[in-house]
Amino acid sequence: MSGCLSQEFDWIRSQLQSQAEQFKPTAPLLQTIARRFQPILDQVGAGLETLQAAIPPAAPSDPASCDSAETWLEWAVREYLPYLFWLEEADRWDPIVAGYAAQYADWFYKNYTSLKYQHQGRWVFDILNRAGATLKQGRKVLLLVVDNFNYKHVRALVNRFGCQGFHAIAAVEPIWSVLPTTTEVSKHCLAAGEANLAHVQGKGYEDILDKDWRGYFEGYNVIYLPKLSALKSRRRFDADLILLNYLPIDDVLHKDEKQIGTSHTGEIMGYLDALVETVTAFAKRAQVEQDLVVMVVSDHGSTKLLPDFESYLDDKFYRKLAKDPHHRYIAVPEDKATNPTDYDRANCYVLPARSFGNRESFFIPRGYGVFIKTDESIYVHGGLTPEETIVPFAQLMKTEVHVFQPTLRLPTNVVRYSVKASLAFVVGNPNEYDMTEVELSVAESDLPGILVEAIPAGRSAEVIIPVRIRRQPGALDLTAITVQGSFEIAGRKVSIEPVSIPVQTRSLQESKTEFDFGA
């Protein structure tokens, strides 16, 4: 294929999707496709993201050994969330993974109050402190509050900003939403910079800016924009900080996929395109590109319900009790929350208003339980699972990033035919930014490549790549192998230019006792 026609890519994607059992997407295969279609990567990038989502990551480990905020967040972001998001995209349910989420939820509920005060920098209500510190550096801030945006699509958003020259100035951070994980609670705490909703003075966002922000931004001019079109119509950045409330992603996630006529993810990619295009165009139009810090955060995440989901608590008791019923939480009278029954405790997390700093008391179903039965494919929130409570925080600036290819060295260059071996490469990162999601494979091998989470800037790492090279009948011995792959840096995905490394090849007959015949 030429790699210059979108029709060619559409045909490949149709083959991978319609014949999934025969042509399973793998990381090396998608690397090859990305390299072939490099000339039109801007046109087929969203399609590649869809194919990437079909590759199952490693299943998460049992989090029983997690014993701190750091270990729980690390486990959730690195192991649980990638696998959970793959399950969601494939419309699958895994009871073991659901059990892991329940372990996290139990820990989060038990330690909720202490976490808010011992780890204040890891919560949505601390974002105003981050913004204030940036303003003191003499920069302007555009704070994007993307409603109902969890880790599932943050890489796609950062990559889109990167294509426009706005790169992450630090790693994307996991931060916690306030309970219950709903707009009326967590977003108001975020906007006011308050750990407890009961302490928020304003009733709406503009009122919060007027009443609650005085202590944060005394002497600064702040503006609230309720929708993206308000930013699109502005010509100047005539403020120090602009808070933009972006709602379309939340709106589409609460709709059934049959209603929107496509997948939730496909619809969201279009909204991300519109958001990034409008923000970067405004920064250029207002001539603040070099002085602007774009902060992206969300008030909460969500979890997907499937049409045949059966774990619901839709009995007469809870329907009668609830003052304001929702799928994942209900508001209840204070006396009910302060005197719950054994049945309540067994089925729900109980959040008395005074103990949890809210204006109302709530019940939240344990695990993936819901109060309202549904036959739709929708996303809901309000609960304590990792995908509902952990949201990403990213900071981006317009920077000129000069990307250098990694260095590759193979200290021991003997390769044996037909047996599985582990080649230890030394991979160096000559860049000023960390290389992340480093994918490496050997072109001549019939084994899949490997994924390295990160190689720090200016450092090198030993990377073990499993290989098995078949000897082709009648062919001359290999004198070199080709290493290929990709990596991400400052929000950009970069293909590794194929590197040819000299090797010495040996056959089985030369020394049978030296070989590893493992499968």
Side-chain angles (χ1 to χ4, degrees):
M1 291 187 170
S2 69
C4 297
L5 300 174
S6 60
Q7 293 88 339
E8 293 174 336
F9 177 81
D10 291 342
W11 184 86
I12 290 178
R13 183 170 58 176
S14 68
Q15 296 302 304
L16 290 173
Q17 292 175 337
S18 64
Q19 303 184 56
E21 291 302 317
Q22 183 178 358
F23 302 112
K24 293 183 178 179
T26 62
L29 175 58
L30 294 193
Q31 292 170 16
T32 301
I33 295 173
R35 284 194 297 272
R36 173 63 66 179
F37 289 92
Q38 187 69 37
I40 59 168
L41 202 56
D42 58 331
Q43 300 178 38
V44 302
L48 278 170
E49 290 171 353
T50 302
L51 293 176
Q52 183 74 36
I55 302 176
S61 62
D62 190 326
S65 62
C66 294
D67 57 1
S68 66
E70 290 73 19
T71 54
W72 273 110
L73 286 172
E74 178 76 12
W75 171 83
V77 172
R78 296 295 183 187
E79 297 186 43
Y80 170 84
L81 290 177
Y83 194 76
L84 185 279
F85 294 150
W86 174 75
L87 289 174
E88 289 184 345
E89 292 300 304
D91 286 338
R92 297 187 183 188
W93 172 258
D94 188 326
I96 295 176
V97 174
Y100 294 163
Q103 290 184 50
Y104 164 88
D106 288 345
W107 169 82
F108 191 57
Y109 175 73
K110 179 181 178 181
N111 296 278
Y112 179 72
T113 301
S114 61
L115 288 171
K116 281 207 290 187
Y117 294 100
Q118 294 175 10
H119 300 274
Q120 293 186 35
R122 290 192 176 277
W123 291 83
V124 294
F125 54 74
D126 186 64
I127 298 305
L128 293 194
N129 288 325
R130 311 283 191 101
T134 301
L135 290 176
K136 289 178 181 178
Q137 297 171 0
R139 298 189 178 278
K140 292 183 178 294
V141 173
L142 177 58
L143 178 55
L144 304 179
V145 181
V146 185
D147 199 304
N148 200 351
F149 187 73
N150 59 20
Y151 260 83
K152 178 181 270 190
H153 304 301
V154 68
R155 184 186 300 177
L157 179 65
V158 171
N159 287 344
R160 280 161 170 76
F161 269 113
C163 291
Q164 300 297 325
F166 280 80
H167 304 290
I169 58 178
V172 176
E173 295 180 49
I175 58 177
W176 280 306
S177 173
V178 179
L179 294 180
T181 50
T182 179
T183 299
E184 294 79 9
V185 175
S186 194
K187 189 185 285 188
H188 279 216
C189 288
L190 186 164
E194 288 287 356
N196 298 317
L197 181 65
H199 298 158
V200 177
Q201 301 175 59
K203 303 304 180 184
Y205 299 114
E206 290 182 285
D207 195 30
I208 287 174
L209 265 64
D210 180 53
K211 296 178 179 177
D212 295 273
W213 280 32
R214 291 178 181 175
Y216 284 99
F217 305 124
E218 200 71 45
Y220 292 104
N221 182 21
V222 297
I223 293 175
Y224 168 73
L225 300 180
K227 51 189 176 181
L228 190 62
S229 59
L231 185 68
K232 200 169 188 177
S233 62
R234 297 182 76 87
R235 305 297 306 174
R236 299 173 58 193
F237 203 117
D238 48 358
D240 298 297
L241 182 149
I242 295 177
L243 169 63
L244 174 64
N245 192 15
Y246 192 62
L247 300 173
I249 290 176
D250 179 67
D251 292 340
V252 75
L253 286 175
H254 288 311
K255 295 178 180 178
D256 185 15
E257 283 189 331
K258 294 179 181 178
Q259 181 181 355
I260 63 177
T262 182
S263 70
H264 290 106
T265 293
E267 192 81 356
I268 287 171
M269 290 303 113
Y271 286 126
L272 295 184
D273 288 335
L275 177 63
V276 172
E277 180 182 348
T278 300
V279 167
T280 54
F282 167 67
K284 184 175 183 179
R285 184 169 64 249
Q287 300 181 2
V288 295
E289 288 180 298
Q290 305 306 318
D291 301 318
L292 178 65
V293 176
V294 179
M295 294 184 173
V296 182
V297 71
S298 184
D299 52 344
H300 58 77
S302 57
T303 188
K304 189 174 186 179
L305 294 185
L306 300 179
D308 56 353
F309 195 78
E310 297 180 354
S311 182
Y312 66 96
L313 300 170
D314 190 23
D315 56 25
K316 295 180 180 179
F317 174 74
Y318 281 118
R319 286 202 305 272
K320 182 178 180 180
L321 177 69
K323 295 190 298 181
D324 186 17
H326 295 273
H327 287 87
R328 291 287 282 153
Y329 70 101
I330 56 173
V332 298
E334 178 72 4
D335 61 343
K336 183 61 183 173
T338 54
N339 297 284
T341 65
D342 291 341
Y343 179 81
D344 295 331
R345 292 192 187 95
N347 290 279
C348 302
Y349 297 107
V350 180
L351 280 65
R354 183 172 297 181
S355 302
F356 282 79
N358 287 318
R359 295 172 183 149
E360 295 182 286
S361 298
F362 298 96
F363 280 178
I364 297 174
R366 291 183 177 272
Y368 282 97
V370 292
F371 289 119
I372 302 173
K373 186 176 181 179
T374 180
D375 58 358
E376 299 176 312
S377 178
I378 59 174
Y379 285 79
V380 295
H381 53 85
L384 279 79
T385 63
E387 64 271 25
E388 293 171 277
T389 59
I390 301 174
V391 295
F393 173 61
Q395 300 182 78
L396 307 111
M397 287 183 62
K398 181 79 170 183
T399 55
E400 197 67 41
V401 178
H402 300 285
V403 179
F404 299 96
Q405 290 285 314
T407 60
L408 290 136
R409 184 167 58 88
L410 184 60
T412 303
N413 66 344
V414 176
V415 177
R416 307 185 188 281
Y417 285 118
S418 302
V419 294
K420 183 179 179 180
S422 297
L423 297 184
F425 292 83
V426 177
V427 183
N429 177 10
N431 295 284
E432 297 179 357
Y433 293 82
D434 293 354
M435 291 168 46
T436 60
E437 304 297 324
V438 183
E439 298 176 347
L440 292 168
S441 63
V442 174
E444 292 78 10
S445 171
D446 61 3
L447 297 178
I450 54 92
L451 174 66
V452 180
E453 288 184 0
I455 301 177
R459 303 281 294 277
S460 62
E462 183 179 77
V463 177
I464 308 298
I465 304 180
V467 299
R468 183 171 55 212
I469 299 174
R470 307 287 187 183
R471 187 165 193 168
Q472 303 300 319
L476 297 175
D477 283 345
L478 282 177
T479 59
I481 57 174
T482 305
V483 181
Q484 58 192 10
S486 64
F487 60 94
E488 293 184 8
I489 187 167
R492 291 174 54 190
K493 190 173 183 67
V494 179
S495 295
I496 295 175
E497 297 173 2
V499 178
S500 181
I501 299 178
V503 295
Q504 299 177 35
T505 52
R506 296 181 182 175
S507 63
L508 283 169
Q509 288 76 15
E510 291 183 52
S511 180
K512 292 184 179 180
T513 61
E514 299 179 8
F515 298 113
D516 171 16
F517 289 92

